Amino acid sequence: MRGRSDGAQKMRLITSVCVVAIFLGFLYVYYGSIFGSNQGASALEYGSKSLRKLGSSYLGGDDDADGKQDDTSIFGKDDGEDDVIPKSFPVCDDRHSELIPCLDRHLIYQMRLKLDLSLMEHYERHCPTPERRYNCLIPPPPGYKVPIKWPKSRDEVWKANIPHTHLAHEKSDQNWMVVKGEKIIFPGGGTHFHYGADKYIALIANMLNFSKNIINNEGRLRTVLDVGCGVASFGGYLLSSDVIAMSLAPNDVHQNQIQFALERGIPAYLGVLGTKRLPYPSRSFELAHCSRCRIDWLQRDGILLLELDRLLRPGGYFAYSSPEAYAQDEEDLRIWREMSALVRRMCWRIASKKNQTVIWQKPLTNDCYMQREPGTQPPLCRSDDDPDAVWGVPMEACITQYSEHDHKVKGSGLAPWPARLTAPPPRLADFGYSSEMFEKDLETWRRRVDGYWNLLSPMIQSNSLRNVMDMKSNLGSFAAALKDKDIWVMNVVPEDGPNTLKLIYDRGLIGSIHNWCEAYSTYPRTYDLLHAWTIFSDIEKKGCSAEDLLLEMDRMLRPSGIIIIRDKPPVVDFIKKYLQALHWEAVPTAESSSDPNVDGDEVVFIIQKKMWLTSESLRDTE
């Protein structure tokens, strides 16, 4: 009897211990989801109402089902019982070290989206729903090093920073890249320019009879769109001729090509010619380029070629290097005949054809369009179609005519580079801006940028910064003020404000439209400096989360990178609460309204991202 009684007591004790263990486990999971841990190994999702009170989804949308905004500002609030400020963020799994939230193919598979793969819809932006968003810091890959500085970076990067070498083997006969010890070397080759991008660029200039075979054509050719850019050697070698390219490619089977481009310090953007317009206004580029970009230009009544037509300036060129331009087999000849017929109906003419390459030119005026036979396909776009509306706007298989002004002046009326950078753009009148307002804006940002550099000078060297993003560019004067620095700027214009991006392109700069309630189309660790002018105040009005934007900025920023916040004081006070959680540190700045670098109620707050590694990364570097 005694033995049975002792056994029953043991069973009760074991049961009690199990109940207590389960309860403690529940508390750990629940509170762990709220406060996180910077030593965590897994990517945790939002789960607590306390965090959600800080704003809406990491990638867009409002937490409230009815879409109403909370009238109470999150900036300037004192911490209270219902406003939990996390002391740390969890660290995502190492497998998320290259996470691009709105271009995550694994997410697309999980969400079972019904996408047409033949139209490349799976490479377009599809942002996570609120329950699938991440609330964690993106870790650097094992062995990550501070990137090699420009201009040396054009030709070599650390292999540890982008540990993907399959392209070196797959494209070994084309000189895209070569693995050499701890580095990846870029000889400057491409699918149709094995002997180097510099010689290929000179060939294009020669085909167009440009002076001295220099591609910039004495400043008249400045902005280029390189579709299917590979590792962006074409764009990288254009820079020495004062030509800037938007190198564009999806995260496809040649994955990480855009990551390589940005690591090299070459302007690039993740995008695809699929079903939506590219995030650039009409008449943005003097030259579009495709070197074996594997695009079916004949599909859907030529809709992809018509998207290039929308983006080209009057008299702009399309340089096309592909087997169809020179091969003699039956299929290539068929494609060439059909493509030639299509571009003729679009009023393009052959400017030059040599060896592997054909260059078409877009007309300068509407005359050819008006002379086409009635019913000719593709049709002209409707008069109410806005060719500059691009955010989430489907492509149209139609021809965009020129404005009456452009038709009369027979071109865009732009000054040669670099004069066009500071000359009032012809499209300035579209916004009701005067030349005086434009010049005042330029002078204001010259003064502000001088102030920034004075503040940054103790902590940066002449080559510390290369990839810069202006998160709210307005007229592009921030980038214009940086002309003499050895950097390039991605000018971002909000999708819900004046579409001043066309003025930015008219000034010879590049950029994209974006909604900062969503993640940007770039890899982690791709920018050295982010300039955030009133961005936080703007997203608060839209009901989006300031905390989520901080996480997105951290994702884009390279370790040791700089953030310049220019906003109202409560915004800065709010951000200060998160510095430790994000591994950021404040840089001493002037926050007094009497300082010449401060205007009105705005203050300047400068932050540097610390270099941090996960325990696994540290083991790999030892």
Side-chain angles (χ1 to χ4, degrees):
M1 292 291 293
R2 184 177 179 180
R4 282 197 292 271
S5 176
D6 288 345
Q9 288 178 351
K10 288 180 180 178
M11 288 298 295
R12 284 196 295 272
L13 179 61
I14 291 171
T15 302
S16 300
V17 169
C18 290
V19 169
V20 170
I22 291 170
F23 179 71
L24 291 174
F26 172 78
L27 290 178
Y28 176 81
V29 171
Y30 179 75
Y31 286 103
S33 69
I34 297 178
F35 295 106
S37 168
N38 59 6
Q39 300 298 319
S42 63
L44 303 181
E45 296 177 348
Y46 275 88
S48 81
K49 292 181 180 178
S50 299
L51 278 179
R52 294 183 68 166
K53 283 179 179 291
L54 291 171
S56 61
S57 140
Y58 175 37
L59 299 162
D62 198 293
D63 286 323
D64 299 326
D66 59 6
K68 293 180 180 178
Q69 287 183 223
D70 186 352
D71 292 334
T72 307
S73 170
I74 62 170
F75 303 127
K77 275 188 176 181
D78 294 328
D79 292 350
E81 189 176 45
D82 295 328
D83 300 296
V84 178
I85 302 295
K87 303 304 179 187
S88 64
F89 287 108
V91 176
C92 299
D93 282 346
D94 285 344
R95 67 177 181 269
H96 294 304
S97 69
E98 293 168 355
L99 178 68
I100 313 162
C102 293
L103 296 170
D104 184 357
R105 282 174 292 170
H106 299 294
L107 175 75
I108 290 173
Y109 301 145
Q110 292 168 12
M111 295 174 69
R112 298 181 180 179
L113 298 178
K114 295 180 180 179
L115 304 175
D116 191 330
L117 304 189
S118 68
L119 303 184
M120 300 295 180
E121 284 187 297
H122 55 307
Y123 293 137
E124 294 184 318
R125 290 174 58 84
H126 301 282
C127 296
T129 53
E131 64 272 13
R132 291 182 180 272
R133 59 190 182 245
Y134 294 102
N135 179 27
C136 52
L137 300 175
I138 305 296
Y144 181 86
K145 299 181 181 182
V146 173
I148 295 170
K149 303 303 182 186
W150 181 268
K152 196 175 180 181
S153 64
R154 188 194 72 172
D155 302 323
E156 60 182 37
V157 301
W158 295 117
K159 182 173 66 176
N161 291 8
I162 310 180
H164 301 281
T165 59
H166 63 284
L167 278 177
H169 306 293
E170 183 181 341
K171 302 291 184 179
S172 59
D173 61 329
Q174 298 173 13
N175 282 329
W176 279 33
M177 48 191 273
V178 177
V179 178
K180 190 174 181 180
E182 293 186 335
K183 295 178 179 179
I184 294 175
I185 309 300
F186 300 90
T191 305
H192 274 273
F193 43 95
H194 306 173
Y195 301 107
D198 51 349
K199 295 182 177 62
Y200 176 70
I201 290 167
L203 171 67
I204 292 175
N206 176 266
M207 290 173 65
L208 293 172
N209 294 317
F210 289 170
S211 175
K212 300 178 182 178
N213 294 337
I214 298 175
I215 194 68
N216 67 15
N217 193 24
E218 299 180 333
R220 288 186 287 272
L221 193 152
R222 166 63 182 172
T223 51
V224 170
L225 177 65
D226 187 16
V227 181
C229 64
V231 293
S233 290
F234 181 74
Y237 279 80
L238 284 173
L239 291 166
S240 60
S241 298
D242 265 347
V243 173
I244 189 165
M246 178 66 78
S247 295
L248 182 81
N251 184 22
D252 60 5
V253 293
H254 294 156
Q255 56 185 281
N256 303 98
Q257 50 195 340
I258 291 298
Q259 191 178 19
F260 279 118
L262 290 163
E263 183 75 9
R264 297 171 69 186
I266 300 169
Y269 183 85
L270 274 163
V272 67
L273 282 165
T275 66
K276 303 289 178 61
R277 285 178 172 175
L278 294 177
Y280 319 120
S282 67
R283 311 197 305 277
S284 292
F285 301 97
E286 275 96 21
L287 171 71
H289 172 254
C290 158
S291 174
R292 194 63 182 275
C293 54
R294 303 188 309 155
I295 291 174
D296 177 8
W297 296 107
L298 294 172
Q299 65 174 281
R300 291 175 284 159
D301 302 317
I303 194 169
L304 305 185
L305 209 56
L306 289 160
E307 173 66 357
L308 288 191
D309 184 80
R310 181 184 70 85
L311 295 172
L312 283 174
R313 298 196 194 279
Y317 301 100
F318 177 41
Y320 183 55
S321 295
S322 184
E324 296 86 35
Y326 63 89
Q328 295 299 310
D329 64 85
E330 185 175 338
E331 179 62 12
D332 286 328
L333 286 171
R334 180 193 66 81
I335 294 172
W336 173 253
R337 285 194 299 267
E338 293 185 18
M339 197 166 173
S340 297
L342 172 61
V343 297
R344 275 197 303 271
R345 296 195 302 272
M346 292 168 55
C347 292
W348 290 11
R349 69 173 188 87
I350 292 181
S352 184
K353 187 173 184 289
K354 187 175 183 179
N355 299 332
Q356 306 175 0
T357 303
V358 60
I359 304 176
W360 285 290
Q361 185 174 25
K362 185 180 175 180
L364 283 168
T365 69
N366 292 327
D367 289 344
C368 176
Y369 305 142
M370 299 298 100
Q371 294 165 4
R372 299 191 316 160
E373 292 291 329
T376 300
Q377 297 295 319
L380 300 179
C381 295
R382 301 182 312 274
S383 58
D384 61 348
D385 177 70
D386 180 2
D388 299 323
V390 297
W391 187 251
V393 176
M395 291 180 189
E396 297 258 1
C398 61
I399 298 171
T400 303
Q401 296 184 76
Y402 301 130
S403 67
E404 191 63 29
H405 170 269
D406 286 354
H407 172 70
K408 287 180 178 178
V409 300
K410 298 185 178 181
S412 56
L414 297 176
W417 177 267
R420 71 171 65 173
L421 182 65
T422 53
R427 293 193 271 189
L428 197 63
D430 294 358
F431 301 89
Y433 297 151
S434 65
S435 298
E436 291 75 19
M437 294 166 65
F438 174 82
E439 289 163 3
K440 182 179 179 181
D441 182 76
L442 180 58
E443 183 53 41
T444 296
W445 282 105
R446 277 176 177 159
R447 173 173 54 82
R448 290 175 175 178
V449 168
D450 285 345
Y452 293 157
W453 246 249
N454 288 335
L455 295 171
L456 291 172
S457 57
M459 56 184 299
I460 63 171
Q461 299 174 349
S462 60
N463 64 348
S464 294
L465 306 174
R466 173 60 185 170
N467 302 351
V468 175
M469 176 184 284
D470 189 7
M471 298 174 69
K472 183 182 176 183
S473 295
N474 194 28
L475 305 183
S477 293
F478 169 84
L482 290 168
K483 176 185 177 294
D484 295 331
K485 309 291 184 186
D486 209 1
I487 58 95
W488 67 272
V489 179
M490 179 68 80
N491 293 278
V492 182
V493 171
E495 95 295 351
D496 60 346
N499 192 353
T500 55
L501 191 58
K502 58 186 178 182
L503 303 181
I504 290 168
Y505 273 94
D506 283 355
R507 299 180 72 174
L509 304 169
I510 61 169
S512 66
I513 299 288
H514 187 64
N515 176 1
W516 283 116
C517 293
E518 301 179 359
Y520 194 76
S521 294
T522 193
Y523 280 89
R525 302 173 302 279
T526 47
Y527 285 90
D528 299 300
L529 186 147
L530 304 175
H531 178 242
W533 173 47
T534 67
I535 288 292
F536 286 89
S537 294
D538 291 344
I539 67 161
E540 181 193 18
K541 296 171 187 173
K542 298 167 72 170
C544 302
S545 168
E547 180 191 66
D548 295 342
L549 180 56
L550 288 171
L551 285 167
E552 172 61 4
M553 293 169 72
D554 182 78
R555 185 186 74 87
M556 295 190 295
L557 193 65
R558 286 172 168 174
S560 303
I562 305 292
I563 299 175
I564 301 175
I565 304 289
R566 186 182 202 93
D567 217 314
K568 57 190 179 184
V571 169
V572 171
D573 293 338
F574 175 86
I575 293 171
K576 285 179 178 178
K577 299 173 185 178
Y578 288 85
L579 295 181
Q580 184 175 353
L582 293 161
H583 305 287
W584 294 356
E585 58 185 4
V587 175
T589 62
E591 296 185 26
S592 167
S593 58
S594 62
D595 188 272
N597 196 42
V598 178
D599 297 304
D601 62 349
E602 295 177 359
V603 297
V604 174
F605 185 50
I606 297 183
I607 301 160
Q608 185 168 34
K609 178 179 178 178
K610 298 177 183 178
M611 170 73 84
W612 60 271
L613 298 169
T614 61
S615 55
E616 181 181 340
S617 297
L618 285 170
R619 284 197 300 273
D620 279 283
T621 56
E622 290 174 353

